[in-house]
Amino acid sequence: MALLEVHDIHTSYGAIRALNGISFTVDHGEVVTLIGANGAGKSTTLNTISGLLKPTQGRVIFDGRDITGWRADRVTAAGLIQVPEGRQIIAPMTVLENLMIGAHLRKDTDGIARDLDDIMGRFTRLAERRDQKAGSLSGGEQQMLAVGRALMARPRLLMLDEPSMGLAPLLVNEVFAIIAAIKAQNIPILLVEQNARKALQIANTAHVLERGVIVQSDQAARLREDPSVILAYLG
C-alpha cells in the first residue's frame, strides 16, 4: 500500500473547476513531482491534499486512512506537512521562533532539541541568523527557513510547493541540494515545481498536469527524454 493515494479528485473554485479527476500515489521514500504550466492545477492539488481546499469528488488516503475533507491542522498533525508557495514565514518573528513553530504539536523536548541542532547544522546561514527577524532574510534564506520549519514537524510526507520560485540560479541549486538531502533520509516528497528540468532530475516519478488533468505519468528519467515534455517544459 502506498503512503499517499489520491483517487479521482475534483476541486472547484466556485463555478470554476480546477481539478478534473486527479489520481496518483506516493510511496514510502519516493519523490513524486507534478509539473505543468501556470494554472494547470499543481498547487490546487497540494492544497486539496493538505486540507486547505475541499474536493467536490474523490478521496485522499494517507497511511491507510481516508483524510478527505479533514481540516488542515488535523492533516498536519497526521504528519503530512506542506511548505506553501511563497514560503509564508512569519516576518516579525526570529529565525529560531519560526523554526520552533514547526514543532508546536510535538511533546518530545529532547527530540525537538536534537532536530533543531540538526537543522542549524544543515542550514548554517540560519544558525548564523537564528536571532534575526525572519523578514530580513534573503529569498533563498527564507526558503531554507520554510523547509527547516517543516522538518521540525518531523514530516511523514513533505509537500513542497514551488520551492525555487523567484530565486537566482545559484540559490535554485542550493534548494535542490537540500531536497536531495531530504530524499537521502527516505522522507517521501511530493514536489510541485515550475523548474521542470530540476524537478525531473530529482524525482522518481512524475506527472504532467494540463487544465486540471494528468496527461502523462511515468518514471521521471523517461519523461526527461520524452520529446513532448522536452518541447513543452525543457526546451
Side-chain angles (χ1 to χ4, degrees):
M1 178 185 296
L3 180 62
L4 176 70
E5 303 172 39
V6 177
H7 297 287
D8 192 33
I9 286 295
H10 296 247
T11 302
S12 299
Y13 296 97
I16 300 172
R17 184 173 292 178
L19 300 180
N20 297 284
I22 298 291
S23 297
F24 63 91
T25 62
V26 180
D27 286 324
H28 296 268
E30 184 182 30
V31 177
V32 173
T33 189
L34 307 179
I35 64 173
N38 287 334
K42 305 184 301 297
S43 293
T44 300
T45 300
L46 295 196
N47 290 338
T48 301
I49 294 168
S50 66
L52 296 172
L53 296 171
K54 293 188 183 300
T56 56
Q57 181 179 322
R59 294 189 304 150
V60 178
I61 310 297
F62 182 59
D63 196 24
R65 289 188 291 176
D66 190 335
I67 66 169
T68 313
W70 281 19
R71 291 188 336 188
D73 59 339
R74 190 179 177 197
V75 174
T76 297
L80 210 167
I81 309 298
Q82 181 173 355
V83 178
E85 181 181 347
R87 297 137 198 163
Q88 297 184 20
I89 52 96
I90 303 176
M93 298 179 70
T94 68
V95 167
L96 178 60
E97 289 167 338
N98 270 270
L99 289 172
M100 293 306 295
I101 285 172
H104 76 282
L105 293 176
R106 295 174 56 182
K107 306 298 183 186
D108 57 323
T109 304
D110 291 343
I112 291 171
R114 285 193 300 271
D115 288 349
L116 183 62
D117 286 344
D118 178 69
I119 287 168
M120 290 297 189
R122 180 182 302 178
F123 304 109
T124 55
R125 275 180 281 179
L126 297 186
E128 293 166 0
R129 294 158 174 76
R130 61 181 290 153
D131 297 319
Q132 192 171 316
K133 300 295 185 185
S136 67
L137 301 180
S138 69
E141 290 164 349
Q142 289 186 13
Q143 187 62 63
M144 293 176 192
L145 178 56
V147 173
R149 181 179 59 189
L151 293 176
M152 285 297 295
R154 282 200 177 171
R156 301 183 60 213
L157 190 153
L158 182 63
M159 298 197 298
L160 300 174
D161 194 354
E162 302 285 8
S164 75
M165 179 179 286
L167 300 182
L170 185 61
L171 291 175
V172 170
N173 291 336
E174 286 191 31
V175 166
F176 273 90
I178 291 167
I179 296 172
I182 296 169
K183 178 183 180 180
Q185 292 181 288
N186 287 319
I187 297 174
I189 299 170
L190 178 56
L191 171 65
V192 160
E193 177 54 53
Q194 195 70 25
N195 189 328
R197 187 178 302 278
K198 286 288 190 182
L200 291 174
Q201 287 172 351
I202 202 165
N204 303 103
T205 304
H207 307 284
V208 181
L209 271 69
E210 293 180 5
R211 298 185 181 91
V213 176
I214 292 177
V215 296
Q216 284 181 276
S217 297
D218 207 335
Q219 294 178 12
R222 289 180 180 171
L223 285 183
R224 287 203 306 269
E225 306 299 327
D226 185 288
S228 63
V229 173
I230 293 171
L231 179 64
Y233 305 109
L234 307 179

